[in-house]
PDB file of all heavy atoms in Angstrom:
ATOM      1  N   ASN A   1       2.814  -4.539 -10.811  1.00 93.00           N
ATOM      2  CA  ASN A   1       2.516  -4.095 -12.171  1.00 93.00           C
ATOM      3  C   ASN A   1       1.746  -2.782 -12.201  1.00 93.00           C
ATOM      4  O   ASN A   1       1.653  -2.137 -13.240  1.00 93.00           O
ATOM      5  CB  ASN A   1       1.724  -5.163 -12.935  1.00 93.00           C
ATOM      6  CG  ASN A   1       0.349  -5.415 -12.357  1.00 93.00           C
ATOM      7  OD1 ASN A   1       0.242  -5.798 -11.197  1.00 93.00           O
ATOM      8  ND2 ASN A   1      -0.698  -5.226 -13.136  1.00 93.00           N
ATOM      9  N   VAL A   2       1.181  -2.381 -11.054  1.00 94.00           N
ATOM     10  CA  VAL A   2       0.528  -1.078 -10.915  1.00 94.00           C
ATOM     11  C   VAL A   2       0.889  -0.536  -9.542  1.00 94.00           C
ATOM     12  O   VAL A   2       0.840  -1.274  -8.546  1.00 94.00           O
ATOM     13  CB  VAL A   2      -1.008  -1.176 -11.031  1.00 94.00           C
ATOM     14  CG1 VAL A   2      -1.644   0.205 -10.860  1.00 94.00           C
ATOM     15  CG2 VAL A   2      -1.423  -1.783 -12.354  1.00 94.00           C
ATOM     16  N   ILE A   3       1.251   0.739  -9.469  1.00 95.00           N
ATOM     17  CA  ILE A   3       1.513   1.390  -8.183  1.00 95.00           C
ATOM     18  C   ILE A   3       0.859   2.762  -8.215  1.00 95.00           C
ATOM     19  O   ILE A   3       1.046   3.532  -9.157  1.00 95.00           O
ATOM     20  CB  ILE A   3       3.030   1.461  -7.886  1.00 95.00           C
ATOM     21  CG1 ILE A   3       3.291   2.046  -6.502  1.00 95.00           C
ATOM     22  CG2 ILE A   3       3.783   2.229  -8.943  1.00 95.00           C
ATOM     23  CD1 ILE A   3       4.733   1.882  -6.039  1.00 95.00           C
ATOM     24  N   LYS A   4       0.056   3.053  -7.178  1.00 95.00           N
ATOM     25  CA  LYS A   4      -0.671   4.310  -7.103  1.00 95.00           C
ATOM     26  C   LYS A   4      -0.453   4.939  -5.734  1.00 95.00           C
ATOM     27  O   LYS A   4      -0.382   4.245  -4.706  1.00 95.00           O
ATOM     28  CB  LYS A   4      -2.171   4.086  -7.308  1.00 95.00           C
ATOM     29  CG  LYS A   4      -2.533   3.490  -8.670  1.00 95.00           C
ATOM     30  CD  LYS A   4      -2.390   4.504  -9.790  1.00 95.00           C
ATOM     31  CE  LYS A   4      -2.858   3.913 -11.117  1.00 95.00           C
ATOM     32  NZ  LYS A   4      -2.814   4.900 -12.214  1.00 95.00           N
ATOM     33  N   ALA A   5      -0.383   6.272  -5.703  1.00 95.00           N
ATOM     34  CA  ALA A   5      -0.290   7.013  -4.450  1.00 95.00           C
ATOM     35  C   ALA A   5      -1.688   7.476  -4.044  1.00 95.00           C
ATOM     36  O   ALA A   5      -2.416   8.047  -4.849  1.00 95.00           O
ATOM     37  CB  ALA A   5       0.640   8.216  -4.614  1.00 95.00           C
ATOM     38  N   ALA A   6      -2.069   7.207  -2.789  1.00 95.00           N
ATOM     39  CA  ALA A   6      -3.379   7.609  -2.280  1.00 95.00           C
ATOM     40  C   ALA A   6      -3.320   7.640  -0.759  1.00 95.00           C
ATOM     41  O   ALA A   6      -2.596   6.847  -0.138  1.00 95.00           O
ATOM     42  CB  ALA A   6      -4.471   6.640  -2.748  1.00 95.00           C
ATOM     43  N   ASP A   7      -4.089   8.530  -0.160  1.00 95.00           N
ATOM     44  CA  ASP A   7      -4.179   8.591   1.304  1.00 95.00           C
ATOM     45  C   ASP A   7      -5.247   7.597   1.741  1.00 95.00           C
ATOM     46  O   ASP A   7      -6.417   7.929   1.907  1.00 95.00           O
ATOM     47  CB  ASP A   7      -4.526  10.003   1.757  1.00 95.00           C
ATOM     48  CG  ASP A   7      -4.514  10.146   3.271  1.00 95.00           C
ATOM     49  OD1 ASP A   7      -4.202   9.155   3.959  1.00 95.00           O
ATOM     50  OD2 ASP A   7      -4.840  11.246   3.758  1.00 95.00           O
ATOM     51  N   VAL A   8      -4.852   6.353   1.942  1.00 94.00           N
ATOM     52  CA  VAL A   8      -5.796   5.271   2.216  1.00 94.00           C
ATOM     53  C   VAL A   8      -6.496   5.463   3.553  1.00 94.00           C
ATOM     54  O   VAL A   8      -7.714   5.304   3.671  1.00 94.00           O
ATOM     55  CB  VAL A   8      -5.079   3.910   2.164  1.00 94.00           C
ATOM     56  CG1 VAL A   8      -6.009   2.783   2.582  1.00 94.00           C
ATOM     57  CG2 VAL A   8      -4.536   3.651   0.763  1.00 94.00           C
ATOM     58  N   ASN A   9      -5.742   5.799   4.610  1.00 92.00           N
ATOM     59  CA  ASN A   9      -6.311   5.865   5.957  1.00 92.00           C
ATOM     60  C   ASN A   9      -6.618   7.279   6.424  1.00 92.00           C
ATOM     61  O   ASN A   9      -6.840   7.516   7.616  1.00 92.00           O
ATOM     62  CB  ASN A   9      -5.387   5.170   6.958  1.00 92.00           C
ATOM     63  CG  ASN A   9      -3.986   5.779   6.963  1.00 92.00           C
ATOM     64  OD1 ASN A   9      -3.649   6.604   6.111  1.00 92.00           O
ATOM     65  ND2 ASN A   9      -3.163   5.355   7.906  1.00 92.00           N
ATOM     66  N   SER A  10      -6.630   8.250   5.509  1.00 91.00           N
ATOM     67  CA  SER A  10      -7.056   9.637   5.795  1.00 91.00           C
ATOM     68  C   SER A  10      -6.256  10.287   6.919  1.00 91.00           C
ATOM     69  O   SER A  10      -6.807  11.030   7.741  1.00 91.00           O
ATOM     70  CB  SER A  10      -8.551   9.671   6.143  1.00 91.00           C
ATOM     71  OG  SER A  10      -9.325   9.127   5.105  1.00 91.00           O
ATOM     72  N   ASP A  11      -4.946  10.044   6.951  1.00 92.00           N
ATOM     73  CA  ASP A  11      -4.104  10.671   7.963  1.00 92.00           C
ATOM     74  C   ASP A  11      -3.287  11.816   7.394  1.00 92.00           C
ATOM     75  O   ASP A  11      -2.412  12.359   8.076  1.00 92.00           O
ATOM     76  CB  ASP A  11      -3.194   9.634   8.618  1.00 92.00           C
ATOM     77  CG  ASP A  11      -2.176   9.030   7.652  1.00 92.00           C
ATOM     78  OD1 ASP A  11      -2.266   9.309   6.437  1.00 92.00           O
ATOM     79  OD2 ASP A  11      -1.302   8.264   8.100  1.00 92.00           O
ATOM     80  N   GLY A  12      -3.561  12.199   6.147  1.00 93.00           N
ATOM     81  CA  GLY A  12      -2.854  13.310   5.532  1.00 93.00           C
ATOM     82  C   GLY A  12      -1.558  12.937   4.862  1.00 93.00           C
ATOM     83  O   GLY A  12      -0.875  13.810   4.314  1.00 93.00           O
ATOM     84  N   ARG A  13      -1.198  11.645   4.876  1.00 94.00           N
ATOM     85  CA  ARG A  13       0.043  11.191   4.237  1.00 94.00           C
ATOM     86  C   ARG A  13      -0.301  10.249   3.082  1.00 94.00           C
ATOM     87  O   ARG A  13      -1.219   9.424   3.182  1.00 94.00           O
ATOM     88  CB  ARG A  13       0.948  10.493   5.254  1.00 94.00           C
ATOM     89  CG  ARG A  13       1.467  11.420   6.336  1.00 94.00           C
ATOM     90  CD  ARG A  13       2.466  10.711   7.238  1.00 94.00           C
ATOM     91  NE  ARG A  13       1.823   9.727   8.088  1.00 94.00           N
ATOM     92  CZ  ARG A  13       1.329   9.977   9.292  1.00 94.00           C
ATOM     93  NH1 ARG A  13       1.378  11.212   9.786  1.00 94.00           N
ATOM     94  NH2 ARG A  13       0.776   9.023  10.015  1.00 94.00           N
ATOM     95  N   MET A  14       0.452  10.356   2.012  1.00 96.00           N
ATOM     96  CA  MET A  14       0.197   9.555   0.821  1.00 96.00           C
ATOM     97  C   MET A  14       0.780   8.160   0.979  1.00 96.00           C
ATOM     98  O   MET A  14       1.983   7.993   1.203  1.00 96.00           O
ATOM     99  CB  MET A  14       0.784  10.239  -0.419  1.00 96.00           C
ATOM    100  CG  MET A  14       0.164  11.606  -0.709  1.00 96.00           C
ATOM    101  SD  MET A  14      -1.632  11.548  -0.894  1.00 96.00           S
ATOM    102  CE  MET A  14      -1.760  10.732  -2.488  1.00 96.00           C
ATOM    103  N   ASP A  15      -0.097   7.170   0.875  1.00 96.00           N
ATOM    104  CA  ASP A  15       0.295   5.770   0.971  1.00 96.00           C
ATOM    105  C   ASP A  15       0.476   5.195  -0.437  1.00 96.00           C
ATOM    106  O   ASP A  15       0.290   5.893  -1.441  1.00 96.00           O
ATOM    107  CB  ASP A  15      -0.786   4.991   1.732  1.00 96.00           C
ATOM    108  CG  ASP A  15      -1.159   5.665   3.044  1.00 96.00           C
ATOM    109  OD1 ASP A  15      -0.251   5.918   3.847  1.00 96.00           O
ATOM    110  OD2 ASP A  15      -2.362   5.933   3.254  1.00 96.00           O
ATOM    111  N   LEU A  16       0.823   3.910  -0.504  1.00 97.00           N
ATOM    112  CA  LEU A  16       1.011   3.235  -1.782  1.00 97.00           C
ATOM    113  C   LEU A  16       0.043   2.059  -1.899  1.00 97.00           C
ATOM    114  O   LEU A  16      -0.059   1.237  -0.982  1.00 97.00           O
ATOM    115  CB  LEU A  16       2.449   2.731  -1.922  1.00 97.00           C
ATOM    116  CG  LEU A  16       3.532   3.803  -2.052  1.00 97.00           C
ATOM    117  CD1 LEU A  16       4.919   3.171  -2.021  1.00 97.00           C
ATOM    118  CD2 LEU A  16       3.345   4.600  -3.337  1.00 97.00           C
ATOM    119  N   VAL A  17      -0.662   2.007  -3.019  1.00 96.00           N
ATOM    120  CA  VAL A  17      -1.521   0.874  -3.358  1.00 96.00           C
ATOM    121  C   VAL A  17      -0.869   0.174  -4.542  1.00 96.00           C
ATOM    122  O   VAL A  17      -0.638   0.794  -5.579  1.00 96.00           O
ATOM    123  CB  VAL A  17      -2.946   1.330  -3.711  1.00 96.00           C
ATOM    124  CG1 VAL A  17      -3.809   0.129  -4.086  1.00 96.00           C
ATOM    125  CG2 VAL A  17      -3.568   2.095  -2.549  1.00 96.00           C
ATOM    126  N   VAL A  18      -0.578  -1.115  -4.380  1.00 96.00           N
ATOM    127  CA  VAL A  18       0.224  -1.843  -5.361  1.00 96.00           C
ATOM    128  C   VAL A  18      -0.512  -3.103  -5.796  1.00 96.00           C
ATOM    129  O   VAL A  18      -1.009  -3.867  -4.958  1.00 96.00           O
ATOM    130  CB  VAL A  18       1.610  -2.219  -4.793  1.00 96.00           C
ATOM    131  CG1 VAL A  18       2.474  -2.857  -5.870  1.00 96.00           C
ATOM    132  CG2 VAL A  18       2.302  -0.986  -4.210  1.00 96.00           C
ATOM    133  N   SER A  19      -0.565  -3.325  -7.087  1.00 95.00           N
ATOM    134  CA  SER A  19      -1.065  -4.587  -7.629  1.00 95.00           C
ATOM    135  C   SER A  19       0.114  -5.524  -7.838  1.00 95.00           C
ATOM    136  O   SER A  19       1.096  -5.168  -8.484  1.00 95.00           O
ATOM    137  CB  SER A  19      -1.796  -4.346  -8.956  1.00 95.00           C
ATOM    138  OG  SER A  19      -2.119  -5.563  -9.586  1.00 95.00           O
ATOM    139  N   ASP A  20       0.000  -6.719  -7.264  1.00 94.00           N
ATOM    140  CA  ASP A  20       1.059  -7.724  -7.357  1.00 94.00           C
ATOM    141  C   ASP A  20       0.631  -8.774  -8.380  1.00 94.00           C
ATOM    142  O   ASP A  20      -0.168  -9.663  -8.085  1.00 94.00           O
ATOM    143  CB  ASP A  20       1.283  -8.361  -5.988  1.00 94.00           C
ATOM    144  CG  ASP A  20       2.335  -9.463  -6.006  1.00 94.00           C
ATOM    145  OD1 ASP A  20       2.934  -9.713  -7.072  1.00 94.00           O
ATOM    146  OD2 ASP A  20       2.539 -10.093  -4.942  1.00 94.00           O
ATOM    147  N   ARG A  21       1.176  -8.679  -9.576  1.00 91.00           N
ATOM    148  CA  ARG A  21       0.789  -9.587 -10.652  1.00 91.00           C
ATOM    149  C   ARG A  21       1.239 -11.021 -10.380  1.00 91.00           C
ATOM    150  O   ARG A  21       0.537 -11.981 -10.710  1.00 91.00           O
ATOM    151  CB  ARG A  21       1.360  -9.102 -11.983  1.00 91.00           C
ATOM    152  CG  ARG A  21       1.092 -10.051 -13.147  1.00 91.00           C
ATOM    153  CD  ARG A  21       1.507  -9.432 -14.454  1.00 91.00           C
ATOM    154  NE  ARG A  21       0.620  -8.330 -14.819  1.00 91.00           N
ATOM    155  CZ  ARG A  21       0.839  -7.522 -15.863  1.00 91.00           C
ATOM    156  NH1 ARG A  21       1.917  -7.687 -16.610  1.00 91.00           N
ATOM    157  NH2 ARG A  21      -0.003  -6.551 -16.137  1.00 91.00           N
ATOM    158  N   LYS A  22       2.382 -11.185  -9.749  1.00 91.00           N
ATOM    159  CA  LYS A  22       2.912 -12.530  -9.542  1.00 91.00           C
ATOM    160  C   LYS A  22       2.023 -13.337  -8.600  1.00 91.00           C
ATOM    161  O   LYS A  22       1.773 -14.520  -8.828  1.00 91.00           O
ATOM    162  CB  LYS A  22       4.339 -12.450  -8.982  1.00 91.00           C
ATOM    163  CG  LYS A  22       4.977 -13.805  -8.743  1.00 91.00           C
ATOM    164  CD  LYS A  22       6.384 -13.648  -8.180  1.00 91.00           C
ATOM    165  CE  LYS A  22       7.328 -13.034  -9.199  1.00 91.00           C
ATOM    166  NZ  LYS A  22       8.728 -12.983  -8.678  1.00 91.00           N
ATOM    167  N   ASN A  23       1.530 -12.719  -7.519  1.00 90.00           N
ATOM    168  CA  ASN A  23       0.741 -13.432  -6.520  1.00 90.00           C
ATOM    169  C   ASN A  23      -0.758 -13.153  -6.620  1.00 90.00           C
ATOM    170  O   ASN A  23      -1.534 -13.716  -5.842  1.00 90.00           O
ATOM    171  CB  ASN A  23       1.237 -13.072  -5.110  1.00 90.00           C
ATOM    172  CG  ASN A  23       2.680 -13.479  -4.891  1.00 90.00           C
ATOM    173  OD1 ASN A  23       3.048 -14.622  -5.086  1.00 90.00           O
ATOM    174  ND2 ASN A  23       3.518 -12.519  -4.521  1.00 90.00           N
ATOM    175  N   GLY A  24      -1.164 -12.292  -7.547  1.00 91.00           N
ATOM    176  CA  GLY A  24      -2.571 -12.012  -7.722  1.00 91.00           C
ATOM    177  C   GLY A  24      -3.209 -11.344  -6.518  1.00 91.00           C
ATOM    178  O   GLY A  24      -4.274 -11.757  -6.053  1.00 91.00           O
ATOM    179  N   LYS A  25      -2.572 -10.300  -5.991  1.00 92.00           N
ATOM    180  CA  LYS A  25      -3.049  -9.618  -4.790  1.00 92.00           C
ATOM    181  C   LYS A  25      -2.971  -8.099  -4.953  1.00 92.00           C
ATOM    182  O   LYS A  25      -2.207  -7.588  -5.782  1.00 92.00           O
ATOM    183  CB  LYS A  25      -2.220 -10.020  -3.572  1.00 92.00           C
ATOM    184  CG  LYS A  25      -2.285 -11.506  -3.203  1.00 92.00           C
ATOM    185  CD  LYS A  25      -3.631 -11.881  -2.638  1.00 92.00           C
ATOM    186  CE  LYS A  25      -3.667 -13.324  -2.185  1.00 92.00           C
ATOM    187  NZ  LYS A  25      -4.981 -13.706  -1.622  1.00 92.00           N
ATOM    188  N   ILE A  26      -3.759  -7.404  -4.132  1.00 93.00           N
ATOM    189  CA  ILE A  26      -3.609  -5.962  -3.961  1.00 93.00           C
ATOM    190  C   ILE A  26      -2.962  -5.735  -2.608  1.00 93.00           C
ATOM    191  O   ILE A  26      -3.438  -6.238  -1.584  1.00 93.00           O
ATOM    192  CB  ILE A  26      -4.969  -5.235  -4.026  1.00 93.00           C
ATOM    193  CG1 ILE A  26      -5.648  -5.501  -5.369  1.00 93.00           C
ATOM    194  CG2 ILE A  26      -4.774  -3.734  -3.805  1.00 93.00           C
ATOM    195  CD1 ILE A  26      -4.892  -4.969  -6.569  1.00 93.00           C
ATOM    196  N   LYS A  27      -1.856  -4.990  -2.589  1.00 94.00           N
ATOM    197  CA  LYS A  27      -1.117  -4.760  -1.356  1.00 94.00           C
ATOM    198  C   LYS A  27      -1.035  -3.264  -1.070  1.00 94.00           C
ATOM    199  O   LYS A  27      -0.917  -2.454  -1.983  1.00 94.00           O
ATOM    200  CB  LYS A  27       0.290  -5.370  -1.464  1.00 94.00           C
ATOM    201  CG  LYS A  27       0.246  -6.888  -1.679  1.00 94.00           C
ATOM    202  CD  LYS A  27       1.632  -7.499  -1.780  1.00 94.00           C
ATOM    203  CE  LYS A  27       1.542  -9.013  -1.945  1.00 94.00           C
ATOM    204  NZ  LYS A  27       2.883  -9.644  -2.048  1.00 94.00           N
ATOM    205  N   ILE A  28      -1.109  -2.925   0.219  1.00 94.00           N
ATOM    206  CA  ILE A  28      -1.150  -1.524   0.644  1.00 94.00           C
ATOM    207  C   ILE A  28      -0.005  -1.266   1.599  1.00 94.00           C
ATOM    208  O   ILE A  28       0.200  -2.006   2.573  1.00 94.00           O
ATOM    209  CB  ILE A  28      -2.490  -1.194   1.320  1.00 94.00           C
ATOM    210  CG1 ILE A  28      -3.644  -1.451   0.338  1.00 94.00           C
ATOM    211  CG2 ILE A  28      -2.511   0.254   1.801  1.00 94.00           C
ATOM    212  CD1 ILE A  28      -4.999  -1.439   0.968  1.00 94.00           C
ATOM    213  N   LEU A  29       0.759  -0.208   1.320  1.00 95.00           N
ATOM    214  CA  LEU A  29       1.872   0.206   2.167  1.00 95.00           C
ATOM    215  C   LEU A  29       1.503   1.546   2.792  1.00 95.00           C
ATOM    216  O   LEU A  29       1.422   2.564   2.099  1.00 95.00           O
ATOM    217  CB  LEU A  29       3.160   0.335   1.367  1.00 95.00           C
ATOM    218  CG  LEU A  29       3.834  -0.935   0.840  1.00 95.00           C
ATOM    219  CD1 LEU A  29       3.046  -1.556  -0.310  1.00 95.00           C
ATOM    220  CD2 LEU A  29       5.254  -0.637   0.395  1.00 95.00           C
ATOM    221  N   LEU A  30       1.240   1.541   4.114  1.00 94.00           N
ATOM    222  CA  LEU A  30       0.885   2.773   4.797  1.00 94.00           C
ATOM    223  C   LEU A  30       2.134   3.617   5.048  1.00 94.00           C
ATOM    224  O   LEU A  30       3.193   3.102   5.390  1.00 94.00           O
ATOM    225  CB  LEU A  30       0.183   2.479   6.117  1.00 94.00           C
ATOM    226  CG  LEU A  30      -1.227   1.885   6.031  1.00 94.00           C
ATOM    227  CD1 LEU A  30      -1.807   1.729   7.427  1.00 94.00           C
ATOM    228  CD2 LEU A  30      -2.141   2.740   5.157  1.00 94.00           C
ATOM    229  N   ASN A  31       1.980   4.911   4.884  1.00 94.00           N
ATOM    230  CA  ASN A  31       3.066   5.867   5.045  1.00 94.00           C
ATOM    231  C   ASN A  31       3.144   6.299   6.506  1.00 94.00           C
ATOM    232  O   ASN A  31       2.232   6.948   7.025  1.00 94.00           O
ATOM    233  CB  ASN A  31       2.806   7.068   4.132  1.00 94.00           C
ATOM    234  CG  ASN A  31       3.933   8.083   4.149  1.00 94.00           C
ATOM    235  OD1 ASN A  31       4.813   8.054   4.999  1.00 94.00           O
ATOM    236  ND2 ASN A  31       3.891   9.008   3.203  1.00 94.00           N
ATOM    237  N   LYS A  32       4.216   5.930   7.173  1.00 91.00           N
ATOM    238  CA  LYS A  32       4.455   6.325   8.559  1.00 91.00           C
ATOM    239  C   LYS A  32       5.537   7.390   8.579  1.00 91.00           C
ATOM    240  O   LYS A  32       6.723   7.103   8.689  1.00 91.00           O
ATOM    241  CB  LYS A  32       4.885   5.111   9.391  1.00 91.00           C
ATOM    242  CG  LYS A  32       3.865   3.982   9.435  1.00 91.00           C
ATOM    243  CD  LYS A  32       2.597   4.375  10.178  1.00 91.00           C
ATOM    244  CE  LYS A  32       1.666   3.185  10.328  1.00 91.00           C
ATOM    245  NZ  LYS A  32       0.411   3.544  11.039  1.00 91.00           N
ATOM    246  N   TYR A  33       5.120   8.651   8.393  1.00 86.00           N
ATOM    247  CA  TYR A  33       6.038   9.789   8.420  1.00 86.00           C
ATOM    248  C   TYR A  33       7.189   9.620   7.431  1.00 86.00           C
ATOM    249  O   TYR A  33       8.363   9.805   7.746  1.00 86.00           O
ATOM    250  CB  TYR A  33       6.578  10.013   9.836  1.00 86.00           C
ATOM    251  CG  TYR A  33       5.484  10.235  10.851  1.00 86.00           C
ATOM    252  CD1 TYR A  33       5.061   9.187  11.674  1.00 86.00           C
ATOM    253  CD2 TYR A  33       4.842  11.469  10.951  1.00 86.00           C
ATOM    254  CE1 TYR A  33       4.044   9.376  12.588  1.00 86.00           C
ATOM    255  CE2 TYR A  33       3.822  11.660  11.875  1.00 86.00           C
ATOM    256  CZ  TYR A  33       3.426  10.622  12.680  1.00 86.00           C
ATOM    257  OH  TYR A  33       2.406  10.817  13.578  1.00 86.00           O
ATOM    258  N   GLY A  34       6.822   9.247   6.198  1.00 85.00           N
ATOM    259  CA  GLY A  34       7.806   9.116   5.140  1.00 85.00           C
ATOM    260  C   GLY A  34       8.409   7.743   5.003  1.00 85.00           C
ATOM    261  O   GLY A  34       9.214   7.512   4.102  1.00 85.00           O
ATOM    262  N   GLU A  35       8.047   6.808   5.890  1.00 89.00           N
ATOM    263  CA  GLU A  35       8.562   5.452   5.824  1.00 89.00           C
ATOM    264  C   GLU A  35       7.416   4.469   5.586  1.00 89.00           C
ATOM    265  O   GLU A  35       6.310   4.654   6.089  1.00 89.00           O
ATOM    266  CB  GLU A  35       9.295   5.079   7.117  1.00 89.00           C
ATOM    267  CG  GLU A  35      10.534   5.939   7.382  1.00 89.00           C
ATOM    268  CD  GLU A  35      11.255   5.502   8.643  1.00 89.00           C
ATOM    269  OE1 GLU A  35      10.750   4.583   9.335  1.00 89.00           O
ATOM    270  OE2 GLU A  35      12.315   6.074   8.934  1.00 89.00           O
ATOM    271  N   PHE A  36       7.707   3.423   4.818  1.00 91.00           N
ATOM    272  CA  PHE A  36       6.733   2.380   4.523  1.00 91.00           C
ATOM    273  C   PHE A  36       7.251   1.081   5.126  1.00 91.00           C
ATOM    274  O   PHE A  36       7.983   0.325   4.490  1.00 91.00           O
ATOM    275  CB  PHE A  36       6.546   2.240   3.010  1.00 91.00           C
ATOM    276  CG  PHE A  36       6.076   3.510   2.340  1.00 91.00           C
ATOM    277  CD1 PHE A  36       6.984   4.443   1.875  1.00 91.00           C
ATOM    278  CD2 PHE A  36       4.727   3.762   2.201  1.00 91.00           C
ATOM    279  CE1 PHE A  36       6.560   5.606   1.273  1.00 91.00           C
ATOM    280  CE2 PHE A  36       4.282   4.935   1.589  1.00 91.00           C
ATOM    281  CZ  PHE A  36       5.200   5.859   1.131  1.00 91.00           C
ATOM    282  N   SER A  37       6.888   0.858   6.394  1.00 80.00           N
ATOM    283  CA  SER A  37       7.523  -0.229   7.143  1.00 80.00           C
ATOM    284  C   SER A  37       6.774  -1.552   7.056  1.00 80.00           C
ATOM    285  O   SER A  37       7.338  -2.596   7.387  1.00 80.00           O
ATOM    286  CB  SER A  37       7.661   0.167   8.616  1.00 80.00           C
ATOM    287  OG  SER A  37       6.390   0.489   9.166  1.00 80.00           O
ATOM    288  N   SER A  38       5.507  -1.541   6.644  1.00 84.00           N
ATOM    289  CA  SER A  38       4.756  -2.795   6.602  1.00 84.00           C
ATOM    290  C   SER A  38       3.873  -2.830   5.369  1.00 84.00           C
ATOM    291  O   SER A  38       3.493  -1.786   4.823  1.00 84.00           O
ATOM    292  CB  SER A  38       3.907  -2.966   7.864  1.00 84.00           C
ATOM    293  OG  SER A  38       2.924  -1.938   7.945  1.00 84.00           O
ATOM    294  N   ILE A  39       3.540  -4.043   4.938  1.00 90.00           N
ATOM    295  CA  ILE A  39       2.717  -4.238   3.750  1.00 90.00           C
ATOM    296  C   ILE A  39       1.463  -5.019   4.150  1.00 90.00           C
ATOM    297  O   ILE A  39       1.564  -6.110   4.726  1.00 90.00           O
ATOM    298  CB  ILE A  39       3.482  -5.013   2.663  1.00 90.00           C
ATOM    299  CG1 ILE A  39       4.729  -4.218   2.230  1.00 90.00           C
ATOM    300  CG2 ILE A  39       2.593  -5.284   1.458  1.00 90.00           C
ATOM    301  CD1 ILE A  39       5.576  -4.937   1.202  1.00 90.00           C
ATOM    302  N   HIS A  40       0.303  -4.450   3.890  1.00 91.00           N
ATOM    303  CA  HIS A  40      -0.960  -5.132   4.150  1.00 91.00           C
ATOM    304  C   HIS A  40      -1.461  -5.748   2.848  1.00 91.00           C
ATOM    305  O   HIS A  40      -1.533  -5.075   1.814  1.00 91.00           O
ATOM    306  CB  HIS A  40      -2.008  -4.154   4.681  1.00 91.00           C
ATOM    307  CG  HIS A  40      -3.400  -4.713   4.714  1.00 91.00           C
ATOM    308  ND1 HIS A  40      -3.819  -5.582   5.679  1.00 91.00           N
ATOM    309  CD2 HIS A  40      -4.453  -4.546   3.878  1.00 91.00           C
ATOM    310  CE1 HIS A  40      -5.076  -5.928   5.454  1.00 91.00           C
ATOM    311  NE2 HIS A  40      -5.491  -5.306   4.361  1.00 91.00           N
ATOM    312  N   THR A  41      -1.819  -7.021   2.897  1.00 90.00           N
ATOM    313  CA  THR A  41      -2.340  -7.721   1.730  1.00 90.00           C
ATOM    314  C   THR A  41      -3.837  -7.894   1.876  1.00 90.00           C
ATOM    315  O   THR A  41      -4.312  -8.414   2.901  1.00 90.00           O
ATOM    316  CB  THR A  41      -1.675  -9.101   1.577  1.00 90.00           C
ATOM    317  OG1 THR A  41      -0.260  -8.921   1.432  1.00 90.00           O
ATOM    318  CG2 THR A  41      -2.216  -9.818   0.354  1.00 90.00           C
ATOM    319  N   GLU A  42      -4.574  -7.458   0.885  1.00 87.00           N
ATOM    320  CA  GLU A  42      -6.017  -7.624   0.920  1.00 87.00           C
ATOM    321  C   GLU A  42      -6.380  -9.101   0.749  1.00 87.00           C
ATOM    322  O   GLU A  42      -5.925  -9.756  -0.193  1.00 87.00           O
ATOM    323  CB  GLU A  42      -6.677  -6.791  -0.176  1.00 87.00           C
ATOM    324  CG  GLU A  42      -6.954  -5.369   0.233  1.00 87.00           C
ATOM    325  CD  GLU A  42      -7.938  -5.277   1.396  1.00 87.00           C
ATOM    326  OE1 GLU A  42      -9.124  -5.583   1.202  1.00 87.00           O
ATOM    327  OE2 GLU A  42      -7.508  -4.909   2.501  1.00 87.00           O
ATOM    328  N   ASN A  43      -7.186  -9.607   1.656  1.00 71.00           N
ATOM    329  CA  ASN A  43      -7.594 -11.008   1.605  1.00 71.00           C
ATOM    330  C   ASN A  43      -8.553 -11.249   0.440  1.00 71.00           C
ATOM    331  O   ASN A  43      -9.352 -10.392   0.082  1.00 71.00           O
ATOM    332  CB  ASN A  43      -8.282 -11.410   2.913  1.00 71.00           C
ATOM    333  CG  ASN A  43      -7.330 -11.344   4.099  1.00 71.00           C
ATOM    334  OD1 ASN A  43      -6.139 -11.603   3.952  1.00 71.00           O
ATOM    335  ND2 ASN A  43      -7.843 -10.997   5.260  1.00 71.00           N
ATOM    336  N   ALA A  44      -8.468 -12.439  -0.131  1.00 62.00           N
ATOM    337  CA  ALA A  44      -9.380 -12.872  -1.208  1.00 62.00           C
ATOM    338  C   ALA A  44      -9.435 -11.858  -2.334  1.00 62.00           C
ATOM    339  O   ALA A  44     -10.486 -11.559  -2.887  1.00 62.00           O
ATOM    340  CB  ALA A  44     -10.778 -13.115  -0.652  1.00 62.00           C
TER     341      ALA A  44
END
């Protein structure tokens, strides 16, 4: 329900921070040279 671009890990590439309304979580997709291969879910 919300998607924002931000350099989360300070590597110079814009990552994605996503709010997941269905599961009630914040999820982060790190940018690996233009690809988003994994999704990290913030605990609690």
Side-chain angles (χ1 to χ4, degrees):
N1 65 300
V2 179
I3 184 168
K4 299 287 184 176
D7 185 2
V8 174
N9 58 351
S10 303
D11 65 352
R13 294 186 289 270
M14 298 304 288
D15 310 306
L16 292 173
V17 179
V18 185
S19 172
D20 178 2
R21 176 172 290 173
K22 180 180 293 184
N23 298 306
K25 298 289 184 180
I26 301 297
K27 299 180 178 180
I28 300 168
L29 290 72
L30 290 183
N31 184 347
K32 300 293 186 181
Y33 303 100
E35 297 182 356
F36 301 89
S37 57
S38 64
I39 299 177
H40 168 77
T41 300
E42 274 297 291
N43 295 327

